[in-house]
Amino acid sequence: MTRTIHADVCVIGTGPGGAPVACRLAQAGVDVLVLEEGAHVDLATAAPRPIDAFTDLYRDGGQTVAIGDPAIPIPLGRVVGGTSAINSGTCLRPADAVLDGWAEQLGLEQLRPAELAPYLDEAAAALGVTRVPPEIAGRNAHLAKRGADRLGWSSEWLPRNAVGCRGSGRCVFGCPTGAKRHAGLAWIDDALAAGARLLDRTRVVAIESEPGPGPVVVRAGGAGGALRIVADRVVVACGSLLTPSLLRRSGLAHDNPHLGRHLAIHPSTAAAARFDDELVDVAHGVPQSFGVDQFADRGLMLEGIGGPPEYLAFTLPLRGEAHHAAMLEHRHWAQLGVMVRDRAVGRVVDVGRGPLRRTVVRYDLDPADRDALLFGIERVAELWFAAGAREVLLPIAGLPPLRDGDLRPLRERRVPAGAMRLMAFHPHGSARPSADPRDGVLDPDLRVRGTSGVYVSDGSALPATIGVNPQLTITALALRLARHLLDRPAPRAGALAHLHA
Amino acid sequence: MRALGRRSGAVLEGLADAFAAPAEPLPRPATTAMRVDAQRWLAATPVGQRLAVRGALVALELAGRLLRPRVGFAGRSRAARLTLLDRLGRIAPPVDAAIDALGRMAVLAYWSDATVQHALGRVDGSPVATGTTTTGAPR
């Protein structure tokens, strides 16, 4: 039997796109129903080990993969808080040039730096964004900073959404102290306190929306059986890889040529470095506490990574005795990642029919992005040697370890994309907005074109590749959408400055 | 259907042995709980992926039987396993990448085992780092 639930607004997804909308609407007295496919759990105890986190907090066991040359894993969260529950917490603002580019290319004047600034301020204040204090940054970060300083490169302690962080070293496996203010903590708890309802472990099947005014129906299923939700408005916030699929199978914008296209993912990789005489201990301290923006004009960001020993074992590009020897000295290994602002060549497609229907992500690394990544990998190696590393391992199949500052083995090698071991953490842009209906899936207010009451609020609504960790921008766009749905004027720029002065 | 069968589970343990090369004081993969953890982890993946992983593990076993010394992957010595993996990896970059992915999965499952962690000197078990002397700036 199907149960029917009525709400003013139904929000699908509790990540950085959905949760702020749910919270702000509920606080304004709107009757909000929130649906989440994952569970509402206490992250402090939900996953004691990384393998438990992959199993219980990540979508598809953490094995969501973009198919292409090379195949690129894209780990996503499936838990209240979405991917923000298992990300590193970095909250960087988009560059003004990026926002201006969105305005110029897609006519999105509403997202010019001055227009978006108040929402970014509000997001940063609500998330408790502050720069990582050096004393909890971890020695991995201090060593990376030493290398950057010796090379004269621009770098910074990264801004993160953590309050009272103790540097437990496992942000991406669920913060064990509750310091990281992921979307579940920062917004959903307040939304529930304000009267919103949450149905976790609930999967949306389809959205039924007529072109004209009228209620929107969401069909879903969960532990309690089949659900039919009738709402005035629906906010889709399933993430950049799932939102296009839900819209498509709901017959919404399914014939829009931009739906599922323009997918950017920020291809990333990391290099490990061994320090003979110094303890690094990547298991301690904030894993992503430090970044190098020296090469931002090339679209490159270097950012710290780290985690418990088994995470290091998982990431070291070694086999056999070499792996064993490295792990016995695991406290001497450092890691630094590099990501590129890519050319958004990916797409999200659906294959198969009925119960066999699957969402597939296609992504082939653009040659220019491959070259940029190789440049970035070389810079990471250079940084580690400048910091005093004896040996550097690069994520390239067949490449021997680099030793004693000698970069020639990398420079002399032709590296095809397929030989690179990549990951990606920031899928976005797959349902982009635009001023001209011919250029995008959404209108500038993030409404799905052809509907009167279906909106998108997640990474897929970013107009184009952003070049920095997108959490803060997604949250800002969500706050802007909430204000639009409440029909309130935009805040003044700087109105919230006192909150994070 | 279980995510790992008897044969595919043994191949995964063989992969952990080849990739992580445990030696005293680290326990052999077959004596750890890695198969149980991997089983649970794989059960969280979509059925197509699960079947692909299991198929790849079985294919690895069969490749061992087809190629000299014509011994299944799980039954080979560590050195012979690594030789086989290198040989298969040279077929094409995607094959090497797939082997790498399987190996990493096996390594994570192995290193997640409590006895392995203990042998490494990590006896706390708590995910919260407190009172560490290694958090601050390097000397």
Side-chain angles (χ1 to χ4, degrees), chain A residues 413-426:
Chain A
R413 195 180 192 94
R414 196 186 73 81
V415 181
M420 302 173 80
R421 299 290 182 258
L422 306 180
M423 293 188 80
F425 305 93
H426 306 149

PDB file of all heavy atoms in Angstrom, chain A residues 413-426:
ATOM      1  N   ARG A 413      59.847  10.341 -19.581  1.00  0.00           N
ATOM      2  CA  ARG A 413      58.866   9.298 -19.867  1.00  0.00           C
ATOM      3  C   ARG A 413      57.646   9.882 -20.571  1.00  0.00           C
ATOM      4  O   ARG A 413      57.165  10.948 -20.209  1.00  0.00           O
ATOM      5  CB  ARG A 413      58.419   8.655 -18.552  1.00  0.00           C
ATOM      6  CG  ARG A 413      57.690   7.345 -18.724  1.00  0.00           C
ATOM      7  CD  ARG A 413      57.302   6.816 -17.358  1.00  0.00           C
ATOM      8  NE  ARG A 413      56.854   5.438 -17.416  1.00  0.00           N
ATOM      9  CZ  ARG A 413      57.628   4.389 -17.219  1.00  0.00           C
ATOM     10  NH1 ARG A 413      58.888   4.558 -16.964  1.00  0.00           N
ATOM     11  NH2 ARG A 413      57.131   3.168 -17.287  1.00  0.00           N
ATOM     12  N   ARG A 414      57.170   9.179 -21.573  1.00  0.00           N
ATOM     13  CA  ARG A 414      55.892   9.555 -22.174  1.00  0.00           C
ATOM     14  C   ARG A 414      54.796   8.896 -21.349  1.00  0.00           C
ATOM     15  O   ARG A 414      54.813   7.673 -21.179  1.00  0.00           O
ATOM     16  CB  ARG A 414      55.817   9.067 -23.624  1.00  0.00           C
ATOM     17  CG  ARG A 414      54.723   9.727 -24.445  1.00  0.00           C
ATOM     18  CD  ARG A 414      54.617   9.092 -25.807  1.00  0.00           C
ATOM     19  NE  ARG A 414      54.018   7.759 -25.742  1.00  0.00           N
ATOM     20  CZ  ARG A 414      52.716   7.517 -25.662  1.00  0.00           C
ATOM     21  NH1 ARG A 414      51.872   8.525 -25.636  1.00  0.00           N
ATOM     22  NH2 ARG A 414      52.259   6.281 -25.616  1.00  0.00           N
ATOM     23  N   VAL A 415      53.900   9.674 -20.834  1.00  0.00           N
ATOM     24  CA  VAL A 415      52.880   9.143 -19.920  1.00  0.00           C
ATOM     25  C   VAL A 415      51.502   9.237 -20.569  1.00  0.00           C
ATOM     26  O   VAL A 415      50.921  10.325 -20.645  1.00  0.00           O
ATOM     27  CB  VAL A 415      52.876   9.911 -18.579  1.00  0.00           C
ATOM     28  CG1 VAL A 415      51.827   9.328 -17.642  1.00  0.00           C
ATOM     29  CG2 VAL A 415      54.252   9.862 -17.929  1.00  0.00           C
ATOM     30  N   PRO A 416      50.964   8.133 -21.056  1.00  0.00           N
ATOM     31  CA  PRO A 416      49.581   8.176 -21.561  1.00  0.00           C
ATOM     32  C   PRO A 416      48.593   8.311 -20.405  1.00  0.00           C
ATOM     33  O   PRO A 416      48.919   7.969 -19.261  1.00  0.00           O
ATOM     34  CB  PRO A 416      49.426   6.828 -22.271  1.00  0.00           C
ATOM     35  CG  PRO A 416      50.412   5.927 -21.606  1.00  0.00           C
ATOM     36  CD  PRO A 416      51.552   6.789 -21.132  1.00  0.00           C
ATOM     37  N   ALA A 417      47.423   8.797 -20.717  1.00  0.00           N
ATOM     38  CA  ALA A 417      46.413   8.987 -19.663  1.00  0.00           C
ATOM     39  C   ALA A 417      46.153   7.691 -18.912  1.00  0.00           C
ATOM     40  O   ALA A 417      45.989   7.685 -17.692  1.00  0.00           O
ATOM     41  CB  ALA A 417      45.123   9.519 -20.279  1.00  0.00           C
ATOM     42  N   GLY A 418      46.141   6.574 -19.650  1.00  0.00           N
ATOM     43  CA  GLY A 418      45.814   5.289 -19.034  1.00  0.00           C
ATOM     44  C   GLY A 418      46.819   4.829 -18.000  1.00  0.00           C
ATOM     45  O   GLY A 418      46.525   3.945 -17.194  1.00  0.00           O
ATOM     46  N   ALA A 419      48.008   5.412 -18.012  1.00  0.00           N
ATOM     47  CA  ALA A 419      49.025   5.015 -17.036  1.00  0.00           C
ATOM     48  C   ALA A 419      48.904   5.812 -15.739  1.00  0.00           C
ATOM     49  O   ALA A 419      49.584   5.510 -14.766  1.00  0.00           O
ATOM     50  CB  ALA A 419      50.416   5.205 -17.619  1.00  0.00           C
ATOM     51  N   MET A 420      48.034   6.811 -15.733  1.00  0.00           N
ATOM     52  CA  MET A 420      47.907   7.646 -14.536  1.00  0.00           C
ATOM     53  C   MET A 420      46.828   7.071 -13.621  1.00  0.00           C
ATOM     54  O   MET A 420      45.782   6.636 -14.080  1.00  0.00           O
ATOM     55  CB  MET A 420      47.539   9.088 -14.927  1.00  0.00           C
ATOM     56  CG  MET A 420      48.558   9.718 -15.860  1.00  0.00           C
ATOM     57  SD  MET A 420      48.033  11.326 -16.476  1.00  0.00           S
ATOM     58  CE  MET A 420      48.432  12.348 -15.086  1.00  0.00           C
ATOM     59  N   ARG A 421      47.127   7.076 -12.346  1.00  0.00           N
ATOM     60  CA  ARG A 421      46.156   6.605 -11.347  1.00  0.00           C
ATOM     61  C   ARG A 421      45.474   7.838 -10.756  1.00  0.00           C
ATOM     62  O   ARG A 421      46.086   8.572  -9.981  1.00  0.00           O
ATOM     63  CB  ARG A 421      46.852   5.805 -10.265  1.00  0.00           C
ATOM     64  CG  ARG A 421      47.559   4.564 -10.796  1.00  0.00           C
ATOM     65  CD  ARG A 421      46.540   3.510 -11.239  1.00  0.00           C
ATOM     66  NE  ARG A 421      47.238   2.306 -11.690  1.00  0.00           N
ATOM     67  CZ  ARG A 421      47.421   2.002 -12.983  1.00  0.00           C
ATOM     68  NH1 ARG A 421      46.959   2.803 -13.937  1.00  0.00           N
ATOM     69  NH2 ARG A 421      48.036   0.892 -13.317  1.00  0.00           N
ATOM     70  N   LEU A 422      44.231   8.034 -11.147  1.00  0.00           N
ATOM     71  CA  LEU A 422      43.523   9.254 -10.761  1.00  0.00           C
ATOM     72  C   LEU A 422      42.314   8.952  -9.891  1.00  0.00           C
ATOM     73  O   LEU A 422      41.800   7.830  -9.880  1.00  0.00           O
ATOM     74  CB  LEU A 422      43.063  10.011 -12.012  1.00  0.00           C
ATOM     75  CG  LEU A 422      44.135  10.351 -13.051  1.00  0.00           C
ATOM     76  CD1 LEU A 422      43.507  11.101 -14.219  1.00  0.00           C
ATOM     77  CD2 LEU A 422      45.246  11.174 -12.435  1.00  0.00           C
ATOM     78  N   MET A 423      41.869   9.968  -9.190  1.00  0.00           N
ATOM     79  CA  MET A 423      40.580   9.934  -8.508  1.00  0.00           C
ATOM     80  C   MET A 423      39.933  11.296  -8.741  1.00  0.00           C
ATOM     81  O   MET A 423      40.583  12.211  -9.260  1.00  0.00           O
ATOM     82  CB  MET A 423      40.734   9.687  -7.011  1.00  0.00           C
ATOM     83  CG  MET A 423      41.253   8.320  -6.665  1.00  0.00           C
ATOM     84  SD  MET A 423      41.202   7.995  -4.893  1.00  0.00           S
ATOM     85  CE  MET A 423      39.472   7.560  -4.667  1.00  0.00           C
ATOM     86  N   ALA A 424      38.683  11.433  -8.375  1.00  0.00           N
ATOM     87  CA  ALA A 424      38.029  12.734  -8.485  1.00  0.00           C
ATOM     88  C   ALA A 424      37.003  12.831  -7.360  1.00  0.00           C
ATOM     89  O   ALA A 424      36.379  11.834  -6.987  1.00  0.00           O
ATOM     90  CB  ALA A 424      37.356  12.894  -9.833  1.00  0.00           C
ATOM     91  N   PHE A 425      36.860  14.044  -6.834  1.00  0.00           N
ATOM     92  CA  PHE A 425      36.011  14.224  -5.649  1.00  0.00           C
ATOM     93  C   PHE A 425      34.952  15.309  -5.842  1.00  0.00           C
ATOM     94  O   PHE A 425      34.151  15.527  -4.945  1.00  0.00           O
ATOM     95  CB  PHE A 425      36.892  14.576  -4.445  1.00  0.00           C
ATOM     96  CG  PHE A 425      37.984  13.572  -4.201  1.00  0.00           C
ATOM     97  CD1 PHE A 425      39.247  13.730  -4.740  1.00  0.00           C
ATOM     98  CD2 PHE A 425      37.724  12.433  -3.456  1.00  0.00           C
ATOM     99  CE1 PHE A 425      40.250  12.789  -4.524  1.00  0.00           C
ATOM    100  CE2 PHE A 425      38.712  11.486  -3.237  1.00  0.00           C
ATOM    101  CZ  PHE A 425      39.981  11.665  -3.774  1.00  0.00           C
ATOM    102  N   HIS A 426      34.979  15.985  -6.987  1.00  0.00           N
ATOM    103  CA  HIS A 426      34.111  17.156  -7.148  1.00  0.00           C
ATOM    104  C   HIS A 426      33.300  17.103  -8.438  1.00  0.00           C
ATOM    105  O   HIS A 426      33.459  17.980  -9.297  1.00  0.00           O
ATOM    106  CB  HIS A 426      34.959  18.440  -7.149  1.00  0.00           C
ATOM    107  CG  HIS A 426      35.861  18.577  -5.965  1.00  0.00           C
ATOM    108  ND1 HIS A 426      37.083  19.219  -6.009  1.00  0.00           N
ATOM    109  CD2 HIS A 426      35.717  18.152  -4.678  1.00  0.00           C
ATOM    110  CE1 HIS A 426      37.660  19.176  -4.821  1.00  0.00           C
ATOM    111  NE2 HIS A 426      36.854  18.538  -4.005  1.00  0.00           N
TER     112      HIS A 426
END
